[in-house]
Amino acid sequence: MDAMPAVDIVVPVYNAPGDVARCVESVLAHTGPEHRLVLIDDASPDPEVARVLSGIARQGHPQVEILANLRNLGFTGTANRGFGLSRRDVVLLNSDTVVTAGWLEALLRCAASDPSIGTITPWSNNAEILSYPRFCVNNAWPDGADPQPVADAFARAAVPSYPDLPTGVGFCFYVRRALLDRIGGFDSAFGAGYGEENDFCMRAAAAGWRNVLADDAFVLHTGGRSFEKQKDALVPKNTATLLARHPGYLPLVHDYVARDPLAPLRDAATIALDASSASAVLHVLHHQGGGTETHVRALVAATLGRCRHAVAIAVGDRWRIELHRAQGEPIAFDLERLPDEPWSEFLAALCATLGVDLIHVHNLSACRDGLLTALSATDVPYGCTVHDVNAACPTITFLGPDGLYCGAQTDARVCAACLAAQPTFAGVDIVAWRERHRPLFERATFLIAPSRWAAQTLLRYFPSAPEPVVIPHGVPDVAARHAGTRLAVMLPDDGVPTVAVLGAVGPDKGARRIERLVELARERGARVRFVVIGYLDRQHAAWQSDDARFTVHGRYDPRDLPDLLNHYRVSMVLFPSAGPETFSYTLSEAWGAGRPVLVPPIGALPERVAAANAGWVMSEEEWRDEARMLDRIAALLAPDNAQALAQAARKASAIPRITLESMAAPTLACYARVRGSRKAHARAPLARVRLRDALGYRPWQAPSEAAAPAAPAAAGGRIAMAALRLRRSSAGPLLRAITPRFVRDALKARLR
């Protein structure tokens, strides 16, 4: 690029001597000597201003010029004086700003990118529609905090895009000389200030010029202290003038605020800022929800202040990425692997962009080939949690042709015959399947299992893998009841005991078995009814059989479970599972609600029941035969077993909850061991434009009706009255939250 042209930096000064000194210091530190810095004292009554300016003059900087108005001209008149000092482009800079390294170069690059750009404004902490991190608010800046890291983040994140704006913001306002020649300076009708840059930008747009954001620049703005005492008087008058001259201004700005087109650019900067401050863990899982997603989100929530997290819901080439932050809402975007982009490069670029130094794999079933390929080549360390043992068997729950657990068979010939007998898996080569997954576990830097059964089962198939650390899944405290409306199905009040099955119940969790139990109980006339608090694969909505022997409640909030169990008069919770569980959140929920359980002799359930002694484990025969299972249920519910049932319920109530912290602390310890032994690698991040577009950036264009002339006073008045009615409605707090101060002030001015 050719040498940048020199500009005049004009700083109108009115009181606030401390701000002036800090502003000048930052400009001199971060601006080349070829640019002239002009300080114009607008007859400040504070004598300290003269002393500060004299001190600056004594420093002898050749690029600094200090002028004084003989009388107070106001910001508008002072700015116009600065505009007329040379033939250069001008940057109007408030005296309560602090510039950062590269600030002016960014503005000049923006100006050079398009000759039709008339005004340029950078980001700031306090700049209405250009405020960061929160939109349209004054983001208070901590005393002494360095703005440079934020400026650097914007510089790293920006394409740059130089998006169009409905108006610039006057705290740092680059104006092209050709534009001044075309439309003149600020309108003297705005006197001491407020609204003059908005009027100027509207006039510029009407003359065919662009008002844009330099989205790779950031200037700190402490906020209006020079004129704060005059603001109450200036705003109503000047906004009335603005709206009289530009009736389309309010609809234009409201359209912009409603769309918030700069949100993706703010998010990109936040990603860059967070990535530079602390490393993150990338959690990889499928899109099917369930216990895996419950665990991941609970782990993220429990450790958010101690660890940065990103969650990737990986589905083929299209990944949903969520960046979770200790403060502020998560940032989410969809990222698609490019055609012919190697999987290892895709994963490495994502990690580099998010500042990820550790990958935690929870489930790869929705992107198996891609993830196995990427993880085999990545230099980013990773570990796995054994939510299931799908790597050992494609059925996931080891169900054989009879629909029941095979016992975790390891003989490849037996497994091949089993799969061949099931049409869904008939084409799977089980030897190749396990060999394909073996490196995933052998290269893992840590393995976590929620139960001993899960850990031991994994090692049966992959004995060369590291020994898994057993960390049971933590359960959120749901002591607080759900306050919302709750619906339930009525049961006859006839004293018949109820057995509940919890959760989303598919074939592996016993959907067909519970149906057969109901039929058997009906045939026998057994004094028991069944309720699924949750739903079946064949029945999602609330439903009840004609004889009320079988009820499906539908989806439920875990906070409601104690009340629902009471409503349905549940004596015991049944787990009729056909396949094994590696942990079972619903078991924790049942105990948390003080209900004993009856579980099958497979998977992690008998392990947990034996440790807690708050329920019973079926025999092999009872588990395999629903008739015998019903016999066991009837025996446990019989009147002569009431004491044992009550004792088991008391034990269930006394079981300590597995806290989120008891899960979080050892998991973080696993992370720390890995991170402490690995060196950082330089990786190429995602292309800036790719991340920007993935975040949802779409250039804003002024609506066509904004350019059309409107009836001057009547249109503005109607808009103001409509806004007043909305402000007084239930939507008022939201309107105030999203509407910039200068727009609110303008609306009020129309009503005076």
Side-chain angles (χ1 to χ4, degrees), residues 593-615:
R595 294 307 193 276
V597 298
L598 176 62
V599 304
I602 59 173
L605 294 176
E607 172 188 325
R608 295 187 65 191
V609 169
N613 197 25

Side-chain angles (χ1 to χ4, degrees), residues 124-137 139 266:
S124 182
N125 62 302
N126 179 18
E128 303 292 2
I129 58 174
L130 305 182
S131 288
Y132 176 84
R134 293 178 299 149
F135 177 51
C136 285
V137 299
N139 297 275
R266 294 195 303 271

Side-chain angles (χ1 to χ4, degrees), residues 523-581:
E523 291 171 7
R524 294 182 182 182
R527 281 184 56 79
V528 60
R529 59 172 45 96
F530 297 89
V531 58
V532 174
I533 303 180
Y535 56 92
L536 297 173
D537 56 336
R538 295 175 177 173
Q539 181 62 48
H540 284 230
W543 173 89
Q544 189 176 74
S545 64
D546 291 341
D547 59 2
R549 188 174 288 279
F550 187 29
T551 300
V552 176
H553 171 81
R555 295 178 185 273
Y556 67 96
D557 187 314
R559 294 174 294 176
D560 291 339
L561 186 59
D563 289 341
L564 293 175
L565 290 168
N566 290 335
H567 167 78
Y568 291 115
R569 301 189 295 279
V570 172
S571 301
M572 180 177 67
V573 174
L574 172 68
F575 290 79
S577 306
E581 300 268 11

Side-chain angles (χ1 to χ4, degrees), residues 301-662:
T303 60
L304 201 52
R306 294 170 282 177
C307 181
R308 287 183 60 240
H309 296 278
V311 175
I313 300 175
V315 182
D317 289 336
R318 191 173 180 83
W319 289 23
R320 178 69 172 176
I321 310 297
E322 301 172 3
L323 185 64
H324 293 261
R325 310 175 60 237
Q327 295 180 340
E329 293 296 316
I331 295 173
F333 60 95
D334 293 319
L335 185 68
E336 190 165 0
R337 187 175 71 97
L338 301 175
D340 301 323
E341 182 180 18
W343 274 104
S344 57
E345 292 182 11
F346 173 76
L347 182 61
L350 177 62
C351 289
T353 300
L354 302 181
V356 168
D357 68 343
L358 179 62
I359 300 169
H360 191 159
V361 179
H362 297 269
N363 192 291
L364 46 70
S365 62
C367 185
R368 190 181 308 276
D369 291 339
L371 280 165
L372 288 175
T373 300
L375 292 169
S376 68
T378 185
D379 59 5
V380 182
Y382 70 87
C384 306
T385 288
V386 186
H387 293 282
D388 59 50
V389 197
N390 174 245
C393 177
T395 66
I396 303 177
T397 50
F398 299 102
L399 297 185
D402 61 353
L404 293 176
Y405 176 48
C406 71
Q409 177 63 246
T410 58
D411 188 316
R413 291 171 299 177
V414 175
C415 294
C418 174
L419 295 176
Q422 303 182 61
T424 302
F425 308 107
V428 176
D429 181 338
I430 190 60
V431 174
W433 178 275
R434 290 170 184 165
E435 184 60 24
R436 185 171 155 216
H437 289 86
R438 179 182 56 78
L440 173 71
F441 299 107
E442 293 183 349
R443 294 186 71 241
T445 57
F446 66 84
L447 294 176
I448 294 173
S451 62
R452 290 194 306 276
W453 180 87
Q456 292 164 359
T457 303
L458 180 75
L459 291 178
R460 289 183 63 187
Y461 293 93
F462 305 102
S464 298
E467 182 78 24
V469 179
V470 176
I471 305 176
H473 294 331
V475 180
D477 185 1
V478 293
R481 295 293 190 264
H482 188 198
T485 301
R486 292 169 288 178
L487 301 177
V489 182
M490 300 302 295
L491 294 181
D493 189 8
D494 54 9
V496 175
T498 303
V499 172
V501 179
L502 306 181
V505 185
D508 60 312
K509 293 186 184 294
R512 306 290 80 78
R513 311 196 77 194
I514 188 66
E515 292 167 351
R516 287 194 290 270
L517 282 169
V518 170
E519 286 302 318
L520 284 170
R522 184 176 287 125
E523 291 171 7
R524 294 182 182 182
R527 281 184 56 79
V528 60
R529 59 172 45 96
F530 297 89
V531 58
V532 174
I533 303 180
Y535 56 92
L536 297 173
D537 56 336
R538 295 175 177 173
Q539 181 62 48
H540 284 230
W543 173 89
Q544 189 176 74
S545 64
D546 291 341
D547 59 2
R549 188 174 288 279
F550 187 29
T551 300
V552 176
H553 171 81
R555 295 178 185 273
Y556 67 96
D557 187 314
R559 294 174 294 176
D560 291 339
L561 186 59
D563 289 341
L564 293 175
L565 290 168
N566 290 335
H567 167 78
Y568 291 115
R569 301 189 295 279
V570 172
S571 301
M572 180 177 67
V573 174
L574 172 68
F575 290 79
S577 306
E581 300 268 11
T582 58
F583 178 71
S584 180
Y585 276 104
T586 52
L587 177 59
S588 297
E589 290 178 0
W591 281 341
R595 294 307 193 276
V597 298
L598 176 62
V599 304
I602 59 173
L605 294 176
E607 172 188 325
R608 295 187 65 191
V609 169
N613 197 25
W616 302 272
V617 178
M618 304 173 199
S619 67
E620 182 79 11
E621 293 76 14
E622 291 167 343
W623 169 66
R624 289 189 173 276
D625 185 339
E626 285 86 15
R628 294 193 178 188
M629 188 186 299
L630 183 59
D631 289 339
R632 182 68 182 278
I633 292 169
L636 291 172
L637 297 178
D640 59 0
N641 195 54
Q643 185 174 351
L645 193 65
Q647 183 180 12
R650 288 192 294 272
K651 288 181 179 179
S653 297
I655 295 173
R657 179 174 59 89
I658 304 172
T659 66
L660 294 180
E661 181 56 29
S662 68

